[in-house]
Amino acid sequence: MHNPQLNRNGALQHLLTIDGLPREILSDILDTAAPFTEVAEREVKKLPLLRGKSVFNLFFENSTRTRTTFEIAAKRLSADVINLNIGTSSASKGESLLDTVDNLCAMQADMFVVRHAVSGAPFLIAQHLAANGRDHIHVINAGDGRHAHPTQGLLDMYTIRHYKKDFTRLIVAIVGDVLHSRVARSQIGALTTLGVPEIRVIGPKTLIPADVDRLGVRVFHDMRAGLKDVDVVMMLRLQSERMQGALLPSPQEFFKYYGLTADKLCCARPDAIVMHPGPMNRGVEIDSAVADGQHAVILPQVTFGIAVRMAVMSMLAGT
Ligand code: CP
């Protein structure tokens, strides 16, 4: 079946989800990002790869890291960046998503970076562009509902490769609210495609999807058992905004059983790295001593995010 993210030549046309992308494309994105880390770290100021292009940031949900790093990435590639303020845009007056998109197309948009609370919203935009002969405009999913957050998944893979070099010998644990997490879905897809042999998910029964083992992961409800000998610990945020009803007794109770403390981290390998996509709830998902400790690579994740987003945008602009 044709993958709507790829063009007729098999190159990336949109980035909507990790699912269905071949290993070569994921590796190509990580390889392309590597030299951009110099730009992300400001050793090189700007590159002209998106000069003359207009990138529209459409964030219908709040964001600190993703929106800002997309803006930095686009500017370092010399694009014009337009941040739509959704609160004051016509979306708040009842304009439909696709009418908003049509109007921005009339302003000569080249790329849309879309975050939306509804799963599938970036797919809908990509389909609409194709149906209207606007194949030259690219869509990047910056997080849609519970579905996917592909650039977060990719920057996480970049971070793992940076510290661990080889995916094919790793044990990786994803901890916390897997049920509501688009980040976890993208991480599992990317880890699987890149050849990680053992992926574990750790959390309470109420926050782990019942059929998650179909994704090829091992499920643990005991955190110490789940962390035993892992190389990479990927913590998740509790997605309180997506929880309906009482799925947790209390944040304190969650921290007691599933919060990452130095004591629980001792179960992992001595050289394990600790990741978190942010925003981080200290004292709920992770203890400050671990978040700020020697195993944490949480802030490098953010810097790598600039390089990975530069890679994705430059690859799309090249198709
Ligand atoms: N990781 C992540 O998506 O963070 P933001 O919500 O701040 O963009």
Side-chain angles (χ1 to χ4, degrees), residues 38 123 132 154 176 214 282 285 313:
E38 288 184 7
F123 267 98
N132 289 281
L154 287 163
R214 282 172 37 192
R282 291 170 184 260
E285 298 135 15
M313 286 194 281

Side-chain angles (χ1 to χ4, degrees), residues 24-234:
E24 295 70 39
I25 288 202
L26 300 192
S27 298
D28 200 11
I29 294 170
L30 303 187
D31 292 344
T32 303
F36 290 146
T37 53
E38 288 184 7
V39 188
E41 291 163 3
R42 307 235 68 183
E43 285 165 32
V44 175
K45 280 223 154 100
K46 268 195 176 188
L47 298 170
L49 299 174
L50 261 68
R51 184 167 289 157
K53 305 275 185 195
S54 294
V55 175
F56 282 71
N57 266 337
L58 309 183
F59 278 64
F60 294 86
E61 256 190 11
N62 294 336
S63 167
T64 300
R65 280 144 290 268
T66 312
R67 199 204 62 73
T68 313
T69 53
F70 263 115
E71 180 171 354
I72 293 169
K75 285 182 172 168
R76 302 250 170 105
L77 291 169
S78 308
D80 295 321
V81 183
I82 299 94
N83 293 309
L84 207 71
N85 185 342
I86 299 302
T88 55
S89 77
S90 296
S92 63
K93 297 181 189 166
E95 183 172 78
S96 78
L97 176 64
L98 297 182
D99 278 333
T100 299
V101 165
D102 283 342
N103 280 271
L104 300 177
C105 289
M107 299 176 205
Q108 314 308 326
D110 294 292
M111 212 173 276
F112 292 117
V113 179
V114 183
R115 171 170 289 191
H116 205 287
V118 175
S119 297
F123 267 98
L124 185 71
I125 294 172
Q127 262 178 347
H128 179 72
L129 294 173
N132 289 281
R134 296 193 187 112
D135 290 326
H136 59 287
I137 304 179
H138 307 281
V139 181
I140 302 175
N141 182 358
D144 63 329
R146 295 185 191 192
H147 171 241
H149 193 345
T151 57
Q152 179 70 46
L154 287 163
L155 76 88
D156 291 339
M157 297 309 112
Y158 189 94
T159 307
I160 293 173
R161 194 173 79 163
H162 178 83
Y163 290 101
K164 297 292 172 190
K165 313 299 178 207
D166 180 8
F167 288 105
T168 64
R169 295 167 188 272
L170 297 178
I171 305 178
V172 178
I174 300 172
V175 185
D177 181 7
V178 179
L179 182 66
H180 301 99
S181 179
R182 57 195 176 205
V183 172
R185 262 165 269 282
S186 290
Q187 288 169 336
I188 293 169
L191 291 166
T192 305
T193 302
L194 290 169
V196 170
E198 184 167 349
I199 306 167
R200 303 176 182 175
V201 296
I202 305 172
K205 283 198 174 112
T206 48
L207 295 181
I208 301 285
D211 57 352
V212 74
D213 50 352
R214 282 172 37 192
L215 299 177
V217 301
R218 290 181 68 191
V219 178
F220 291 80
H221 300 299
D222 180 291
M223 189 160 174
R224 287 173 203 278
L227 289 180
K228 189 165 175 354
D229 296 331
V230 305
D231 300 282
V232 179
V233 186
M234 305 176 91

